[in-house]
Coordinates of all heavy atoms in Angstrom, one line a residue:
M1 N -6.9 -12.6 10.2 CA -6.0 -13.2 9.2 C -4.6 -13.1 9.7 O -4.2 -12.0 10.2 CB -6.1 -12.4 7.9 CG -7.1 -12.9 6.9 SD -6.9 -11.9 5.3 CE -7.3 -13.2 4.2
N2 N -3.9 -14.2 9.6 CA -2.5 -14.1 10.0 C -1.7 -13.7 8.8 O -2.2 -13.6 7.6 CB -2.0 -15.4 10.6 CG -2.0 -16.6 9.6 OD1 -1.7 -16.4 8.4 ND2 -2.4 -17.7 10.1
R3 N -0.4 -13.5 8.9 CA 0.5 -13.0 7.9 C 0.5 -13.9 6.7 O 0.4 -13.4 5.5 CB 1.9 -12.7 8.4 CG 2.8 -12.0 7.4 CD 4.1 -11.8 7.9 NE 4.0 -10.9 9.1 CZ 5.0 -10.4 9.7 NH1 6.2 -10.6 9.3 NH2 4.8 -9.6 10.8
T4 N 0.5 -15.2 6.9 CA 0.6 -16.2 5.8 C -0.7 -16.1 5.0 O -0.7 -16.1 3.8 CB 0.8 -17.6 6.3 OG1 2.0 -17.6 7.1 CG2 0.8 -18.6 5.2
D5 N -1.9 -16.0 5.7 CA -3.2 -15.9 5.0 C -3.2 -14.6 4.2 O -3.7 -14.6 3.1 CB -4.3 -15.9 6.0 CG -4.5 -17.2 6.7 OD1 -4.1 -18.3 6.1 OD2 -5.0 -17.2 7.8
V6 N -2.7 -13.5 4.7 CA -2.7 -12.3 4.0 C -1.8 -12.4 2.7 O -2.2 -11.9 1.6 CB -2.2 -11.1 4.9 CG1 -1.9 -9.8 4.1 CG2 -3.1 -10.9 6.0
L7 N -0.6 -13.0 2.8 CA 0.2 -13.1 1.7 C -0.4 -14.0 0.6 O -0.3 -13.7 -0.6 CB 1.6 -13.7 2.1 CG 2.5 -12.7 2.9 CD1 3.7 -13.5 3.5 CD2 2.8 -11.5 2.1
I8 N -1.1 -15.0 1.0 CA -1.8 -15.9 0.1 C -2.9 -15.1 -0.6 O -3.1 -15.2 -1.8 CB -2.3 -17.2 0.8 CG1 -1.2 -18.1 1.2 CG2 -3.3 -17.9 -0.1 CD1 -1.5 -19.2 2.1
A9 N -3.7 -14.4 0.2 CA -4.7 -13.6 -0.4 C -4.2 -12.5 -1.4 O -4.8 -12.3 -2.5 CB -5.5 -12.9 0.7
I10 N -3.1 -11.9 -1.1 CA -2.5 -10.9 -2.0 C -2.1 -11.6 -3.3 O -2.4 -11.1 -4.4 CB -1.2 -10.3 -1.3 CG1 -1.7 -9.4 -0.2 CG2 -0.4 -9.5 -2.4 CD1 -0.5 -8.9 0.7
A11 N -1.5 -12.8 -3.2 CA -1.0 -13.5 -4.4 C -2.3 -13.9 -5.2 O -2.2 -13.8 -6.4 CB -0.2 -14.7 -4.0
E12 N -3.3 -14.3 -4.6 CA -4.6 -14.7 -5.3 C -5.2 -13.5 -6.0 O -5.6 -13.7 -7.2 CB -5.5 -15.4 -4.3 CG -5.1 -16.8 -3.9 CD -6.0 -17.4 -2.8 OE1 -7.0 -16.7 -2.4 OE2 -5.8 -18.5 -2.5
V13 N -5.2 -12.4 -5.4 CA -5.8 -11.2 -6.0 C -4.9 -10.8 -7.2 O -5.4 -10.5 -8.3 CB -5.9 -10.0 -5.0 CG1 -6.2 -8.7 -5.7 CG2 -6.9 -10.3 -3.9
A14 N -3.6 -10.8 -7.0 CA -2.7 -10.5 -8.1 C -2.9 -11.5 -9.3 O -2.9 -11.1 -10.5 CB -1.3 -10.5 -7.7
R15 N -2.9 -12.8 -9.0 CA -3.1 -13.8 -10.0 C -4.4 -13.7 -10.8 O -4.4 -14.0 -11.9 CB -2.9 -15.2 -9.3 CG -2.8 -16.3 -10.3 CD -2.6 -17.7 -9.7 NE -2.9 -17.8 -8.3 CZ -2.1 -17.9 -7.2 NH1 -0.8 -17.8 -7.5 NH2 -2.5 -18.1 -6.0
S16 N -5.4 -13.3 -10.1 CA -6.7 -13.2 -10.7 C -6.9 -11.9 -11.5 O -8.0 -11.7 -12.1 CB -7.8 -13.3 -9.7 OG -7.9 -12.2 -8.9
G17 N -5.9 -11.0 -11.5 CA -6.0 -9.8 -12.2 C -6.7 -8.7 -11.5 O -7.1 -7.7 -12.0
G18 N -6.8 -8.8 -10.2 CA -7.5 -7.8 -9.3 C -6.6 -6.8 -8.7 O -7.1 -6.0 -7.9
A19 N -5.3 -6.8 -9.1 CA -4.4 -5.8 -8.5 C -4.8 -4.4 -9.0 O -5.1 -4.2 -10.2 CB -3.0 -6.1 -8.8
A20 N -4.7 -3.4 -8.2 CA -4.9 -2.0 -8.5 C -3.7 -1.5 -9.3 O -2.5 -2.0 -9.1 CB -5.1 -1.2 -7.3
A21 N -3.9 -0.6 -10.2 CA -2.8 0.1 -10.8 C -2.0 0.9 -9.7 O -2.7 1.3 -8.7 CB -3.3 1.1 -11.9
P22 N -0.7 1.1 -9.8 CA 0.0 1.8 -8.8 C -0.6 3.1 -8.4 O -0.7 3.4 -7.2 CB 1.4 2.0 -9.4 CG 1.6 0.8 -10.3 CD 0.2 0.6 -10.9
E23 N -1.0 3.9 -9.4 CA -1.6 5.2 -9.0 C -2.9 5.1 -8.2 O -3.2 5.9 -7.3 CB -1.8 6.1 -10.3 CG -2.6 5.5 -11.3 CD -1.9 4.6 -12.3 OE1 -0.7 4.3 -12.1 OE2 -2.5 4.3 -13.4
D24 N -3.7 4.1 -8.5 CA -4.9 3.8 -7.8 C -4.6 3.3 -6.4 O -5.2 3.7 -5.4 CB -5.8 2.8 -8.5 CG -6.4 3.3 -9.8 OD1 -6.5 4.5 -9.9 OD2 -6.7 2.5 -10.7
A25 N -3.6 2.5 -6.3 CA -3.2 1.9 -4.9 C -2.7 3.1 -4.1 O -3.0 3.1 -2.9 CB -2.1 0.9 -5.1
I26 N -1.9 4.0 -4.7 CA -1.4 5.2 -3.9 C -2.6 6.0 -3.4 O -2.6 6.4 -2.2 CB -0.4 6.0 -4.8 CG1 0.8 5.2 -5.0 CG2 -0.1 7.3 -4.1 CD1 1.7 5.8 -6.1
S27 N -3.5 6.2 -4.2 CA -4.7 7.0 -3.9 C -5.5 6.3 -2.7 O -6.0 6.9 -1.8 CB -5.6 7.2 -5.1 OG -6.8 7.9 -4.7
Q28 N -5.6 5.0 -2.8 CA -6.3 4.2 -1.8 C -5.6 4.3 -0.5 O -6.2 4.4 0.6 CB -6.5 2.8 -2.3 CG -7.5 2.7 -3.4 CD -7.5 1.3 -4.1 OE1 -6.8 0.4 -3.7 NE2 -8.3 1.2 -5.1
L29 N -4.3 4.1 -0.5 CA -3.5 4.2 0.7 C -3.6 5.6 1.3 O -3.7 5.8 2.5 CB -2.0 3.9 0.4 CG -1.7 2.4 0.3 CD1 -0.3 2.2 -0.3 CD2 -1.9 1.7 1.6
A30 N -3.6 6.7 0.5 CA -3.8 8.0 1.0 C -5.1 8.2 1.7 O -5.2 8.8 2.8 CB -3.7 9.0 -0.2
M31 N -6.2 7.6 1.2 CA -7.5 7.6 1.8 C -7.4 6.9 3.2 O -8.0 7.4 4.2 CB -8.6 7.0 1.0 CG -8.9 7.9 -0.2 SD -10.3 7.3 -1.3 CE -10.1 5.6 -1.3
I32 N -6.8 5.7 3.2 CA -6.7 5.0 4.5 C -5.9 5.8 5.5 O -6.3 5.9 6.7 CB -6.0 3.6 4.2 CG1 -6.9 2.7 3.4 CG2 -5.6 2.9 5.6 CD1 -6.3 1.4 2.9
I33 N -4.7 6.4 5.1 CA -3.9 7.2 6.0 C -4.7 8.4 6.5 O -4.7 8.7 7.7 CB -2.6 7.6 5.3 CG1 -1.7 6.4 5.1 CG2 -1.9 8.7 6.1 CD1 -0.6 6.6 4.1
D34 N -5.5 9.0 5.6 CA -6.3 10.2 6.0 C -7.3 9.8 7.0 O -7.7 10.6 7.9 CB -7.0 10.7 4.8 CG -7.7 12.0 5.0 OD1 -7.1 12.9 5.7 OD2 -8.9 12.2 4.6
D35 N -7.8 8.6 7.0 CA -8.9 8.1 7.9 C -8.3 7.6 9.2 O -9.1 7.3 10.1 CB -9.7 7.0 7.3 CG -10.7 7.6 6.2 OD1 -10.9 8.8 6.2 OD2 -11.2 6.8 5.4
L36 N -7.0 7.4 9.3 CA -6.4 6.9 10.6 C -6.7 7.9 11.7 O -6.6 9.1 11.6 CB -4.9 6.8 10.5 CG -4.4 5.5 9.8 CD1 -2.8 5.6 9.7 CD2 -4.8 4.3 10.5
E37 N -7.0 7.3 12.9 CA -7.3 8.0 14.1 C -5.9 8.1 14.8 O -5.5 7.1 15.4 CB -8.3 7.3 15.0 CG -8.7 8.1 16.2 CD -9.3 9.5 15.9 OE1 -10.2 9.5 15.0 OE2 -8.8 10.5 16.5
L38 N -5.2 9.2 14.7 CA -3.8 9.3 15.2 C -3.8 9.3 16.7 O -2.7 9.1 17.2 CB -3.2 10.6 14.6 CG -2.9 10.6 13.2 CD1 -2.2 11.9 12.7 CD2 -2.0 9.4 12.8
S39 N -4.9 9.4 17.4 CA -4.8 9.3 18.8 C -4.8 7.9 19.3 O -4.6 7.6 20.5 CB -6.0 10.1 19.4 OG -7.3 9.5 19.0
S40 N -5.1 6.9 18.4 CA -5.1 5.5 18.7 C -3.7 5.0 19.0 O -2.7 5.5 18.3 CB -5.7 4.7 17.6 OG -7.0 5.1 17.4
S41 N -3.5 4.1 19.9 CA -2.2 3.5 20.1 C -1.7 2.7 18.9 O -2.4 1.9 18.3 CB -2.4 2.5 21.3 OG -1.2 1.8 21.5
G42 N -0.5 3.0 18.5 CA 0.1 2.3 17.4 C -0.2 2.9 16.0 O 0.3 2.4 15.0
S43 N -1.1 3.9 16.0 CA -1.5 4.4 14.7 C -0.4 5.1 14.0 O -0.3 5.1 12.7 CB -2.7 5.4 14.8 OG -2.4 6.5 15.6
E44 N 0.5 5.8 14.7 CA 1.7 6.4 14.0 C 2.6 5.4 13.3 O 3.1 5.6 12.3 CB 2.5 7.2 15.0 CG 1.8 8.5 15.4 CD 2.6 9.4 16.3 OE1 3.8 9.4 16.2 OE2 2.0 10.1 17.2
Q45 N 2.7 4.2 14.0 CA 3.5 3.2 13.4 C 2.8 2.6 12.1 O 3.5 2.4 11.1 CB 3.8 2.0 14.4 CG 4.6 0.9 13.8 CD 4.8 -0.2 14.8 OE1 4.2 -0.2 15.9 NE2 5.7 -1.1 14.5
V46 N 1.5 2.5 12.2 CA 0.8 2.0 11.0 C 0.9 3.0 9.9 O 1.1 2.7 8.8 CB -0.7 1.7 11.4 CG1 -1.6 1.5 10.2 CG2 -0.8 0.6 12.4
M47 N 0.7 4.3 10.3 CA 0.8 5.4 9.2 C 2.2 5.3 8.6 O 2.3 5.4 7.4 CB 0.6 6.7 9.9 CG 0.7 7.9 8.8 SD 0.4 9.5 9.5 CE 1.8 9.7 10.5
E48 N 3.3 5.2 9.4 CA 4.6 5.1 8.8 C 4.8 3.9 7.9 O 5.3 4.0 6.8 CB 5.7 5.0 9.9 CG 7.1 5.0 9.4 CD 8.1 5.0 10.5 OE1 7.8 5.6 11.6 OE2 9.2 4.4 10.3
M49 N 4.2 2.8 8.2 CA 4.3 1.6 7.4 C 3.5 1.8 6.1 O 4.0 1.5 5.0 CB 3.8 0.3 8.1 CG 4.6 -0.1 9.2 SD 4.2 -1.7 10.0 CE 2.4 -1.6 10.1
L50 N 2.3 2.4 6.2 CA 1.5 2.7 5.0 C 2.2 3.7 4.1 O 2.2 3.6 2.8 CB 0.2 3.2 5.3 CG -0.7 2.1 6.0 CD1 -2.0 2.8 6.5 CD2 -1.1 1.0 5.1
L51 N 2.9 4.7 4.7 CA 3.6 5.7 3.9 C 4.8 5.0 3.1 O 5.1 5.3 2.0 CB 4.2 6.8 4.7 CG 3.1 7.8 5.2 CD1 3.7 8.8 6.3 CD2 2.5 8.6 4.0
R52 N 5.5 4.1 3.8 CA 6.6 3.4 3.1 C 6.0 2.5 1.9 O 6.7 2.4 0.9 CB 7.3 2.5 4.1 CG 8.1 3.3 5.1 CD 8.8 2.4 6.1 NE 9.5 3.1 7.1 CZ 10.8 3.5 6.9 NH1 11.5 3.3 5.9 NH2 11.4 4.2 7.9
I53 N 4.9 1.9 2.1 CA 4.3 1.1 1.1 C 3.9 2.0 -0.1 O 4.2 1.7 -1.3 CB 3.0 0.3 1.6 CG1 3.5 -0.7 2.6 CG2 2.3 -0.3 0.4 CD1 2.3 -1.3 3.4
A54 N 3.3 3.2 0.2 CA 2.9 4.1 -0.8 C 4.1 4.6 -1.6 O 4.1 4.8 -2.8 CB 2.1 5.3 -0.2
A55 N 5.2 4.9 -0.8 CA 6.5 5.3 -1.5 C 7.0 4.3 -2.4 O 7.5 4.6 -3.5 CB 7.5 5.7 -0.4
C56 N 6.9 3.0 -2.0 CA 7.4 1.9 -2.9 C 6.5 1.9 -4.2 O 7.1 1.8 -5.3 CB 7.2 0.6 -2.1 SG 7.6 -0.9 -3.2
L57 N 5.2 2.0 -4.1 CA 4.4 2.1 -5.2 C 4.7 3.3 -6.1 O 4.7 3.2 -7.3 CB 2.9 2.1 -4.8 CG 2.4 0.8 -4.1 CD1 1.0 1.0 -3.5 CD2 2.3 -0.3 -5.2
W58 N 4.9 4.4 -5.4 CA 5.3 5.6 -6.2 C 6.5 5.4 -7.0 O 6.6 5.7 -8.2 CB 5.6 6.7 -5.2 CG 5.9 8.0 -5.8 CD1 7.1 8.5 -6.2 CD2 5.0 9.1 -6.2 NE1 7.1 9.7 -6.7 CE2 5.8 10.1 -6.7 CE3 3.6 9.2 -6.1 CZ2 5.2 11.3 -7.2 CZ3 3.1 10.4 -6.5 CH2 3.8 11.4 -7.1
N59 N 7.6 4.8 -6.4 CA 8.8 4.5 -7.2 C 8.5 3.5 -8.3 O 9.0 3.7 -9.4 CB 9.9 3.9 -6.2 CG 10.5 4.9 -5.3 OD1 10.4 6.1 -5.6 ND2 11.1 4.5 -4.2
L60 N 7.7 2.5 -8.1 CA 7.4 1.6 -9.2 C 6.6 2.3 -10.3 O 6.9 2.0 -11.5 CB 6.5 0.4 -8.6 CG 7.2 -0.6 -7.7 CD1 6.2 -1.5 -7.1 CD2 8.3 -1.4 -8.5
Q61 N 5.7 3.2 -9.9 CA 5.0 3.9 -10.9 C 5.9 4.8 -11.7 O 5.8 4.9 -13.0 CB 3.9 4.8 -10.3 CG 3.1 5.6 -11.3 CD 2.2 6.6 -10.6 OE1 2.5 7.1 -9.5 NE2 1.1 7.0 -11.2
Q62 N 6.9 5.5 -11.1 CA 7.8 6.3 -11.8 C 8.7 5.5 -12.7 O 9.0 5.9 -13.9 CB 8.7 7.1 -10.8 CG 7.9 8.0 -9.9 CD 7.2 9.1 -10.6 OE1 7.7 9.7 -11.5 NE2 5.9 9.2 -10.3
E63 N 9.1 4.3 -12.3 CA 9.9 3.4 -13.2 C 9.1 3.0 -14.4 O 9.6 3.0 -15.5 CB 10.4 2.2 -12.4 CG 11.5 2.5 -11.4 CD 11.9 1.3 -10.6 OE1 11.7 0.2 -11.0 OE2 12.4 1.5 -9.5
R64 N 7.8 2.7 -14.1 CA 7.0 2.2 -15.2 C 6.8 3.3 -16.2 O 6.7 3.1 -17.4 CB 5.6 1.8 -14.6 CG 4.8 1.0 -15.6 CD 3.5 0.5 -14.9 NE 2.5 1.5 -15.1 CZ 1.3 1.4 -14.6 NH1 1.0 0.4 -13.8 NH2 0.4 2.3 -14.8
M65 N 6.7 4.6 -15.8 CA 6.5 5.7 -16.7 C 7.8 6.0 -17.5 O 7.7 6.5 -18.6 CB 6.1 7.0 -15.9 CG 4.7 6.9 -15.3 SD 4.3 8.2 -14.2 CE 4.4 9.6 -15.3
R66 N 8.9 5.6 -17.0 CA 10.2 5.8 -17.8 C 10.4 4.8 -18.9 O 11.1 5.0 -19.8 CB 11.4 5.7 -16.8 CG 11.6 6.9 -16.0 CD 12.8 6.8 -15.2 NE 12.4 7.3 -13.9 CZ 12.7 6.7 -12.7 NH1 13.5 5.6 -12.7 NH2 12.3 7.1 -11.6
L67 N 9.7 3.6 -18.8 CA 9.8 2.6 -19.8 C 9.1 2.9 -21.1 O 8.3 3.6 -21.3 CB 9.3 1.2 -19.3 CG 10.0 0.7 -18.1 CD1 9.3 -0.6 -17.6 CD2 11.5 0.4 -18.4

């Protein structure tokens, strides 16, 4: 899948009501990060990107809890 296809797929999942709750998404990202093979080329960069995504979700969840 190219980036455009991925963005379209994300929008379709969100539109259809299939989006995970932030806390579930954070848990799923943690499982993916835990399964990364850090000896693979580029895996540290992927881990950093996933951590940033999880941090974004964390912030959204915290804001949602304040409302």
Side-chain angles (χ1 to χ4, degrees):
M1 269 182 146
N2 64 38
R3 187 178 300 187
T4 301
D5 293 336
V6 171
L7 292 172
I8 290 169
I10 291 168
E12 288 175 359
V13 169
R15 188 174 24 252
S16 70
E23 56 272 11
D24 293 335
I26 291 168
S27 177
Q28 291 167 3
L29 283 169
M31 289 187 320
I32 292 168
I33 291 167
D34 186 45
D35 287 343
L36 278 178
E37 185 61 49
L38 291 179
S39 61
S40 302
S41 175
S43 61
E44 286 186 31
Q45 182 181 11
V46 170
M47 182 181 66
E48 184 177 326
M49 290 186 319
L50 292 171
L51 287 171
R52 289 178 184 272
I53 293 166
C56 175
L57 292 168
W58 180 273
N59 287 340
L60 289 172
Q61 178 189 30
Q62 296 302 311
E63 287 176 24
R64 193 174 94 183
M65 291 174 63
R66 284 184 227 133
L67 295 177

